[in-house]
Amino acid sequence: MKRRRSGADTAFKSMTLIFASSAVVLSLIYFFELYYGSTLTLKSGISFVTGSTWDPNNQVFGVLPMLYGSLVTSAIALIIGVPISLGVAIFLSEISPQVLRSPISFVVEMLAAVPSVIYGLWGLFVLAPILRTNVYPILESRLGFLPIFQGTIYGVSVLTAGIVLAIMIIPMVASISRDALLAVPDSQREAAYALGATRSEVIRMSVLSYARSGVFASIFLGFGRAFGETMAVTMLIGNTPLISASLLSPGYSLAALVASEFTEATTQVYISALIEAGLVLLVVSFIANVVARLLIRRLIRSREAASYL
Amino acid sequence: MLESVTSLDVEERQRLEPHDALETKMEVVGLDAWYSTKQALVDVNLNVRSNKVTAIIGPSGCGKSTLIRCLNRMHELVPGSRVTGSVLLDGKNIYGSDLDAVDVRRRVGMVFQKPNPFPNMSIADNVTAGLKLAGVKDESSMKEVERRTLERVGLWDEVKDDLKRSGASLSGGQQQRLCIARALAIEPEVLLMDEPCSALDPTATAKIEQLITSLKQTYTVVIVTHNMQQAARIADYTAFMYLGKLIEYDETTTLFENPRQELTERYITGKFG
Amino acid sequence: MKLRRVVSDKLWTVFTVVALGLAIVPLLSILFDIASKGISVINLDFFTQLPPLANASGGGMGNAIQGTLLLVALSSAIGLPIGLFSGVYISEYGVTNRYGSAVRFLGDVLAGIPSIVTGVLAYTLIVLTFQSFSVLAGGVALGTMMIPIVSNTTAEALKSVPNSIREASIALGIRKWRTSLLIMANAKKAIATASLLAIARITGETAPLILTAGISTLWFSGFNQPVGSLTYYIYYFGTSPYQNWQNMAWGAALILIAIVLGINAAVRLITRGKKAYA
């Protein structure tokens, strides 16, 4: 009787252990499968990411334009999205009256739940036309001396994709930053107030500084999300494998490449190239997420340490 | 404002006031304070003497921290809090419309219960944080202030080679002295200390007490403490509070050796609660 | 105080309020446009008919709704139990050891892997093996995505159960595995919440389905066959040049957002004050 019972204990623990190990196994399988799936093109080495010609018919696979598109759209998303996210986070943690916090957080969470294909659809039919007729012409006439605001206006473009990505990363960046700001002890705020700081000075010298690793973590997570975001970008970037100086021109991204060409890839080597594009996505987003999680972990540790002081 | 002071009941004033002719730095007049609906201070009247150490003692929850936080308008930072009455600084009401909280706090500095240096700033930057807010940019005068204030709190010799290290890397007692240096750097007129030693060991406490005694040459010090011996050691005047009211206020020796109120006597002889 | 500091203080407040407005306006616009553009194609046919031909009239998204439900059911069957028991390990066995915290960490990282990459993985594992897009491949891809999400939220839910309950149970001589089940029962609301949010999340996934479940204009015809889904159809019809397909896409978007935001809103309203991330 006793033995059977302890057997049940062992069996239960083993079962949960096996399921928990899925995280380890999955991590390995991701790299292993994508690595072996792209054997045919991996052997051409670094030219895959440095080559700027994508010509599947002639079996020339260079994803530099897509890598460039992924990086530029992510950068636009961060440049526009991070300040807005921080504004929202600061409002929620430092400025908002108590009664407004919960409803506003609710709205921000709803924004996070909207599926990306819906952002794509809305971007394509609602935002892109507005940008094309009302915003981009103004950008071009006022700032057209800059190479990034020149050329033909299509509506779908690197900038359009970046703007929608910005909207998409705001809820996540805002929500994690807000948590980091709320974790700042009041004693830190008091220290600044007692020195004669105004509220905005308290936020800058004390709150943001104390919470900076959490804020950086949210930015890394936002980057990871933007870099790997597929549907909205596929629908808005124009899917053209070119590197152009102008943000108003169509471009391409790694994720959009994988999503839009897999169904038409017929040759083994073409498929291999697309899987390798997936591998690049995997490596970059894995690193961004590891960095973000390490930052968050450090934040939690320091918070625990602070609470024992 | 002076009318309301003189109109106070004479007997009341004698009960509350030490009998001397020293200069008054801050004067609390008919002060009430609330946290949303809970009243924390009830009609408190108190004269804080220039260049003296005034201690506020009393059992926890008696309002002593609330009182000290009303002296530099920190109380109003708590959501839902409220203050009525007045606090005069050199005869001018700090709650009056011609003074704002930011200016008041520059003149009335504060040190807190738990040392709270800015952890992402260096020791040097912690000291000069308040000066930078005021717009001081001159590097050499900053260096000057760093050295002078750190020397003042007895920290210079311990940290002079590590000024670039994080303020959080110091020991608890050193952190608290750093916080005092940070408060002194902006040259306040009054220094408020809210149980500054409660998180420290006896050795560190002794250093801070020594420091407080030396500070009164330049500053007016108000200290909240739950430790009666500490009040007896360092304070020139002591106020005893109970349930939000100021029960007795006198020269420290008088209050401890010859209290006029029974409540005070019971508290200082440890017969409380 | 100097005027410059007063002005700068006010500007900061203005900045945060403007930022909040900029963050919220897109949501209002999305909801408004989907409701106004989508409502016109919603009728009984929309739920019961197959997709129309280009430039034809009538038709519906019946097979896409069926496909989405099947994919969500299959992926939940894979992802929920694995994620759940993985969470049990992290919370009940892994708190004190390095493996537990490593698993937890990897789970967080995996949750941030782009969904298209999960699609590529399921493609190499299943689609290449069977030489066909299939419901199975789609379910595996979405289920794989669910595991880390469910695992970490379950672990959080279980950790919030007070230790006194564990101690009381052990003190009564109840075995560890039964104790774990007891803890799960105590956290069942939080676990249900977490599962529902994970389901809402994968219901809206599109990218992995392009490489796995594919798309079909017909009804479900077996787990080894491709199937249509609401999300894929929103993409496919939404990027097409035909007016009637675009209208269908807006209708599908309305149904999808009603499901996804409906689940999210219900869950958040029930568990007010809980955090959504980290």
Side-chain angles (χ1 to χ4, degrees):
Chain A
M1 191 66 190
K2 257 200 170 148
R3 267 193 55 184
R4 218 185 63 200
R5 279 220 228 120
S6 73
D9 253 1
T10 316
F12 186 81
K13 184 178 178 183
S14 309
M15 179 181 73
T16 62
L17 178 63
I18 289 166
F19 283 156
S21 301
S22 63
V24 180
V25 175
L26 267 178
S27 305
L28 294 175
I29 288 183
Y30 267 111
F31 285 98
F32 189 84
E33 273 294 317
L34 268 53
Y35 181 80
Y36 277 92
S38 51
T39 326
L40 289 177
T41 45
L42 266 179
K43 64 184 176 215
S44 63
I46 195 75
S47 71
F48 184 75
V49 286
T50 55
S52 55
T53 307
W54 179 262
D55 185 0
N57 294 329
N58 294 309
Q59 303 206 345
V60 182
F61 301 107
V63 294
L64 192 63
M66 295 74 165
L67 190 59
Y68 170 83
S70 295
L71 289 172
V72 171
T73 50
S74 304
I76 295 170
L78 293 179
I79 290 168
I80 299 173
V82 168
I84 295 178
S85 307
L86 283 181
V88 173
I90 291 170
F91 183 83
L92 282 172
S93 135
E94 309 296 318
I95 290 171
S96 171
Q98 201 69 37
V99 288
L100 283 182
R101 282 184 191 180
S102 176
I104 292 173
S105 298
F106 179 80
V107 171
V108 171
E109 276 158 8
M110 287 303 106
L111 206 51
V114 173
S116 69
V117 71
I118 286 183
Y119 278 107
L121 189 70
W122 173 80
L124 195 56
F125 286 95
V126 181
L127 188 64
I130 295 174
L131 293 174
R132 185 179 59 226
T133 53
N134 300 325
V135 179
Y136 292 167
I138 296 173
L139 275 183
E140 205 164 50
S141 65
R142 295 280 160 78
L143 300 167
F145 57 90
L146 296 169
I148 55 171
F149 296 125
Q150 288 171 356
T152 315
I153 295 169
Y154 296 91
V156 290
S157 69
V158 173
L159 185 55
T160 308
I163 290 171
V164 172
L165 280 180
I167 297 170
M168 294 176 71
I169 65 168
I170 286 170
M172 179 166 71
V173 178
S175 155
I176 295 173
S177 297
R178 175 204 57 189
D179 289 349
L181 300 187
L182 285 175
V184 175
D186 274 339
S187 64
Q188 286 290 315
R189 294 184 181 86
E190 287 178 344
Y193 273 121
L195 291 175
T198 63
R199 182 162 65 181
S200 70
E201 285 162 349
V202 172
I203 292 167
R204 274 178 289 165
M205 85 186 288
S206 148
V207 180
L208 284 178
S209 163
Y210 191 92
R212 67 184 176 190
S213 62
V215 172
F216 283 135
S218 75
I219 294 172
F220 273 98
L221 286 177
F223 171 77
R225 171 91 200 266
F227 192 82
E229 173 47 45
T230 311
M231 296 320 299
V233 178
T234 307
M235 294 165 84
L236 295 168
I237 200 170
N239 297 346
T240 312
L242 288 173
I243 298 179
S244 39
S246 175
L247 300 180
L248 304 181
S249 304
Y252 218 166
S253 85
L254 285 170
L257 169 75
V258 178
S260 56
E261 296 197 13
F262 236 109
T263 44
E264 55 203 56
T266 40
T267 63
Q268 297 273 319
V269 66
Y270 193 178
I271 290 174
S272 164
L274 292 174
I275 296 176
E276 190 174 346
L279 183 62
V280 176
L281 271 176
L282 175 67
V283 170
V284 174
S285 61
F286 200 87
I287 292 170
N289 276 280
V290 165
V291 171
R293 291 296 162 185
L294 287 175
L295 283 170
I296 288 178
R297 208 171 245 223
R298 204 176 75 179
L299 185 76
I300 292 169
R301 291 236 173 97
S302 71
R303 198 183 307 166
E304 278 163 0
S307 70
Y308 289 124
L309 200 81
Chain B
M1 216 35 78
L2 282 169
E3 286 84 352
S4 67
V5 179
T6 44
S7 72
L8 266 176
D9 183 273
V10 176
E11 203 181 322
E12 178 83 347
R13 278 185 68 87
Q14 281 182 342
R15 178 167 75 77
L16 290 170
E17 297 302 323
H19 309 276
D20 55 41
L22 282 169
E23 200 186 324
T24 297
K25 184 67 193 176
M26 293 189 90
E27 185 164 8
V28 179
V29 185
L31 194 74
D32 297 282
W34 286 264
Y35 293 99
S36 19
T37 54
K38 187 181 167 290
Q39 186 162 9
L41 292 180
V42 184
D43 190 28
V44 173
N45 297 280
L46 177 79
N47 265 357
V48 176
R49 299 286 190 264
S50 243
N51 294 89
K52 297 288 174 195
V53 176
T54 303
I56 305 173
I57 61 169
S60 59
C62 69
K64 55 189 190 293
S65 280
T66 309
L67 174 57
I68 201 177
R69 294 167 70 90
C70 286
L71 299 186
N72 69 340
R73 297 187 57 174
M74 293 291 282
H75 176 69
E76 68 199 45
L77 295 173
V78 180
S81 62
R82 205 150 52 85
V83 180
T84 63
S86 45
V87 176
L88 311 181
L89 175 61
D90 289 339
K92 245 180 136 186
N93 188 3
I94 63 170
Y95 289 95
S97 55
D98 52 340
L99 278 179
D100 70 10
V102 168
D103 292 324
V104 169
R105 292 178 198 135
R106 301 195 67 80
R107 293 174 62 192
V108 185
M110 189 165 201
V111 174
F112 298 86
Q113 194 166 350
K114 270 204 315 198
N116 54 0
F118 300 120
N120 289 329
M121 286 187 196
S122 68
I123 292 169
D125 288 343
N126 261 286
V127 174
T128 52
L131 289 180
K132 282 176 199 146
L133 284 178
V136 177
K137 291 195 179 80
D138 178 26
E139 277 292 321
S140 62
S141 71
M142 294 266 213
K143 289 256 176 293
E144 221 301 280
V145 171
E146 282 161 22
R147 177 170 188 142
R148 196 179 62 225
T149 49
L150 286 171
E151 273 172 351
R152 191 80 180 80
V153 300
L155 206 53
W156 178 254
D157 290 333
E158 295 164 50
V159 302
K160 64 181 177 217
D161 301 322
D162 305 303
L163 289 175
K164 292 281 160 259
R165 252 171 50 201
S166 159
S169 65
L170 300 171
S171 74
Q174 288 174 319
Q175 284 189 17
Q176 194 61 302
R177 279 183 282 151
L178 176 61
C179 291
I180 296 173
R182 183 176 65 186
L184 296 182
I186 51 174
E187 289 170 9
E189 298 156 39
V190 181
L191 187 62
L192 309 175
M193 307 180 103
D194 189 357
E195 305 205 22
C197 303
S198 66
L200 305 181
D201 63 67
T203 321
T205 300
K207 280 190 182 156
I208 303 265
E209 286 184 4
Q210 239 176 347
L211 173 60
I212 292 170
T213 317
S214 76
L215 285 177
K216 68 180 173 189
Q217 296 158 3
T218 333
Y219 308 95
T220 302
V221 180
V222 182
I223 177 171
V224 162
T225 175
H226 59 263
N227 181 335
M228 278 179 281
Q229 285 72 37
Q230 183 168 62
R233 282 194 298 269
I234 61 175
D236 303 296
Y237 295 91
T238 298
F240 169 64
M241 291 187 69
Y242 184 63
L243 293 179
K245 291 183 179 142
L246 183 68
I247 304 299
E248 186 163 352
Y249 175 43
D250 215 323
E251 287 179 27
T252 301
T253 40
T254 317
L255 187 124
F256 278 98
E257 284 161 18
N258 197 8
R260 280 171 289 171
Q261 301 290 320
E262 201 200 327
L263 264 175
T264 316
E265 183 173 358
R266 282 177 55 201
Y267 181 70
I268 60 179
T269 50
K271 288 179 193 141
F272 231 74
Chain C
M1 192 169 39
K2 279 188 196 147
L3 185 65
R4 185 184 58 79
R5 290 176 71 197
V6 181
V7 171
S8 139
D9 195 45
K10 292 277 174 281
L11 281 179
W12 266 72
T13 309
V14 170
F15 156 68
T16 64
V17 174
V18 169
L20 185 68
L22 287 174
I24 289 177
V25 164
L27 180 68
L28 299 178
S29 171
I30 287 169
L31 293 180
F32 174 79
D33 285 303
I34 289 182
S36 58
K37 291 189 166 77
I39 197 75
S40 61
V41 293
I42 304 290
N43 49 33
L44 186 63
D45 282 356
F46 190 84
F47 296 93
T48 57
Q49 300 294 307
L50 290 172
L53 295 173
N55 289 327
S57 63
M61 296 268 91
N63 68 331
I65 295 170
Q66 181 199 34
T68 289
L69 292 178
L70 275 168
L71 286 165
V72 169
L74 180 59
S75 54
S76 301
I78 298 167
L80 288 183
I82 299 181
L84 186 63
F85 285 106
S86 167
V88 172
Y89 177 83
I90 293 170
S91 158
E92 302 304 307
Y93 298 98
V95 186
T96 48
N97 63 35
R98 277 174 165 275
Y99 190 66
S101 76
V103 165
R104 168 81 226 244
F105 186 83
L106 273 179
D108 280 333
V109 172
L110 285 179
I113 298 288
S115 60
I116 186 85
V117 176
T118 314
V120 175
L121 176 68
Y123 178 89
T124 64
L125 284 175
I126 298 170
V127 177
L128 281 183
T129 313
F130 294 100
Q131 289 298 311
S132 167
F133 292 119
S134 62
V135 181
L136 179 69
V140 168
L142 297 184
T144 305
M145 287 183 60
M146 278 180 99
I147 295 171
I149 305 174
V150 176
S151 166
N152 287 349
T153 45
T154 302
E156 286 303 314
L158 296 180
K159 276 178 191 164
S160 67
V161 175
N163 244 331
S164 55
I165 296 183
R166 284 183 191 86
E167 285 158 4
S169 172
I170 302 270
L172 285 171
I174 295 172
R175 284 279 169 190
K176 176 86 178 180
W177 71 279
R178 280 190 164 276
T179 302
S180 299
L181 293 182
L182 184 77
I183 300 297
M184 286 165 76
N186 263 282
K188 60 176 184 284
K189 258 193 191 155
I191 293 172
T193 301
S195 306
L196 276 173
L197 288 179
I199 286 171
R201 162 88 192 275
I202 57 142
T203 305
E205 270 303 335
T206 315
L209 298 180
I210 296 174
L211 313 191
T212 55
I215 193 164
S216 161
T217 53
L218 306 170
W219 296 98
F220 169 73
S221 59
F223 283 98
N224 58 353
Q225 295 298 312
V227 73
S229 54
L230 281 172
T231 50
Y232 200 158
Y233 264 109
I234 294 172
Y235 167 55
Y236 188 67
F237 278 3
T239 53
S240 79
Y242 311 112
Q243 187 64 45
N244 72 317
W245 279 9
Q246 291 174 5
N247 292 344
M248 281 286 152
W250 284 103
L254 179 57
I255 303 295
L256 180 69
I257 208 156
I259 297 173
V260 173
L261 290 196
I263 294 177
N264 270 278
V267 163
R268 310 264 187 228
L269 290 177
I270 293 166
T271 62
R272 257 176 192 284
K274 292 272 163 62
K275 284 187 279 182
Y277 294 100

